[in-house]
Short mmCIF file of all heavy atoms in Angstrom, two decimals:
data_model
loop_
_atom_site.label_atom_id
_atom_site.label_comp_id
_atom_site.label_asym_id
_atom_site.label_seq_id
_atom_site.Cartn_x
_atom_site.Cartn_y
_atom_site.Cartn_z
N LYS A 81 176.88 38.25 101.25
CA LYS A 81 177.17 37.06 100.44
C LYS A 81 178.59 37.21 99.91
O LYS A 81 178.96 38.29 99.41
CB LYS A 81 176.20 36.93 99.27
CG LYS A 81 174.72 37.03 99.67
CD LYS A 81 174.30 35.96 100.67
CE LYS A 81 172.88 36.22 101.18
NZ LYS A 81 172.73 35.88 102.60
N ALA A 82 179.35 36.10 99.96
CA ALA A 82 180.78 36.22 99.64
C ALA A 82 181.29 35.07 98.80
O ALA A 82 180.78 33.95 98.89
CB ALA A 82 181.59 36.28 100.93
N PHE A 83 182.30 35.35 98.00
CA PHE A 83 183.03 34.30 97.30
C PHE A 83 184.43 34.79 96.95
O PHE A 83 184.72 35.97 97.04
CB PHE A 83 182.29 33.85 96.03
CG PHE A 83 181.89 34.97 95.10
CD1 PHE A 83 182.77 35.42 94.14
CD2 PHE A 83 180.63 35.57 95.21
CE1 PHE A 83 182.39 36.46 93.29
CE2 PHE A 83 180.26 36.59 94.35
CZ PHE A 83 181.15 37.04 93.39
N ARG A 84 185.26 33.81 96.57
CA ARG A 84 186.64 34.12 96.19
C ARG A 84 186.73 34.08 94.67
O ARG A 84 186.13 33.21 94.04
CB ARG A 84 187.56 33.07 96.80
CG ARG A 84 188.94 32.98 96.18
CD ARG A 84 189.74 31.88 96.86
NE ARG A 84 191.03 31.69 96.24
CZ ARG A 84 191.40 30.59 95.61
NH1 ARG A 84 190.57 29.57 95.52
NH2 ARG A 84 192.60 30.50 95.08
N VAL A 85 187.49 35.00 94.08
CA VAL A 85 187.70 34.98 92.64
C VAL A 85 189.18 34.77 92.34
O VAL A 85 190.04 35.33 93.03
CB VAL A 85 187.14 36.27 91.98
CG1 VAL A 85 187.83 37.51 92.51
CG2 VAL A 85 187.31 36.23 90.48
N GLU A 86 189.44 33.90 91.35
CA GLU A 86 190.82 33.65 90.91
C GLU A 86 190.87 33.85 89.41
O GLU A 86 190.15 33.18 88.67
CB GLU A 86 191.25 32.25 91.29
CG GLU A 86 192.70 31.93 90.94
CD GLU A 86 192.91 31.52 89.48
OE1 GLU A 86 192.29 30.55 89.03
OE2 GLU A 86 193.70 32.20 88.80
N ASN A 87 191.68 34.77 88.96
CA ASN A 87 191.87 35.03 87.53
C ASN A 87 193.33 35.42 87.33
O ASN A 87 193.63 36.45 86.73
CB ASN A 87 190.92 36.15 87.08
CG ASN A 87 190.20 35.82 85.78
OD1 ASN A 87 190.37 34.74 85.24
ND2 ASN A 87 189.42 36.76 85.28
N ALA A 88 194.23 34.60 87.92
CA ALA A 88 195.68 34.86 87.89
C ALA A 88 195.98 36.29 88.38
O ALA A 88 195.36 36.74 89.35
CB ALA A 88 196.24 34.58 86.50
N CYS A 89 196.87 36.99 87.71
CA CYS A 89 197.32 38.31 88.22
C CYS A 89 196.24 39.38 88.10
O CYS A 89 196.40 40.48 88.62
CB CYS A 89 198.56 38.77 87.46
SG CYS A 89 199.90 37.60 87.51
N VAL A 90 195.16 39.08 87.38
CA VAL A 90 194.09 40.07 87.20
C VAL A 90 192.90 39.74 88.10
O VAL A 90 191.79 40.25 87.91
CB VAL A 90 193.71 40.20 85.70
CG1 VAL A 90 193.06 38.94 85.18
CG2 VAL A 90 192.83 41.40 85.43
N SER A 91 193.12 38.94 89.12
CA SER A 91 192.04 38.59 90.05
C SER A 91 191.43 39.84 90.67
O SER A 91 190.20 39.94 90.82
CB SER A 91 192.55 37.66 91.15
OG SER A 91 193.08 36.47 90.59
N GLY A 92 192.26 40.80 91.05
CA GLY A 92 191.77 42.00 91.74
C GLY A 92 190.83 42.83 90.87
O GLY A 92 189.75 43.25 91.31
N SER A 93 191.24 43.08 89.62
CA SER A 93 190.36 43.86 88.74
C SER A 93 189.14 43.05 88.32
O SER A 93 188.08 43.62 88.03
CB SER A 93 191.11 44.31 87.48
OG SER A 93 192.06 45.29 87.81
N THR A 94 189.28 41.73 88.29
CA THR A 94 188.12 40.88 88.00
C THR A 94 187.10 41.02 89.13
O THR A 94 185.89 41.08 88.87
CB THR A 94 188.56 39.41 87.85
OG1 THR A 94 189.52 39.33 86.80
CG2 THR A 94 187.39 38.50 87.54
#
Side-chain angles (χ1 to χ4, degrees):
K81 309 301 172 217
F83 51 87
R84 162 181 176 244
V85 60
E86 184 278 303
N87 226 3
C89 304
V90 67
S91 301
S93 290
T94 301

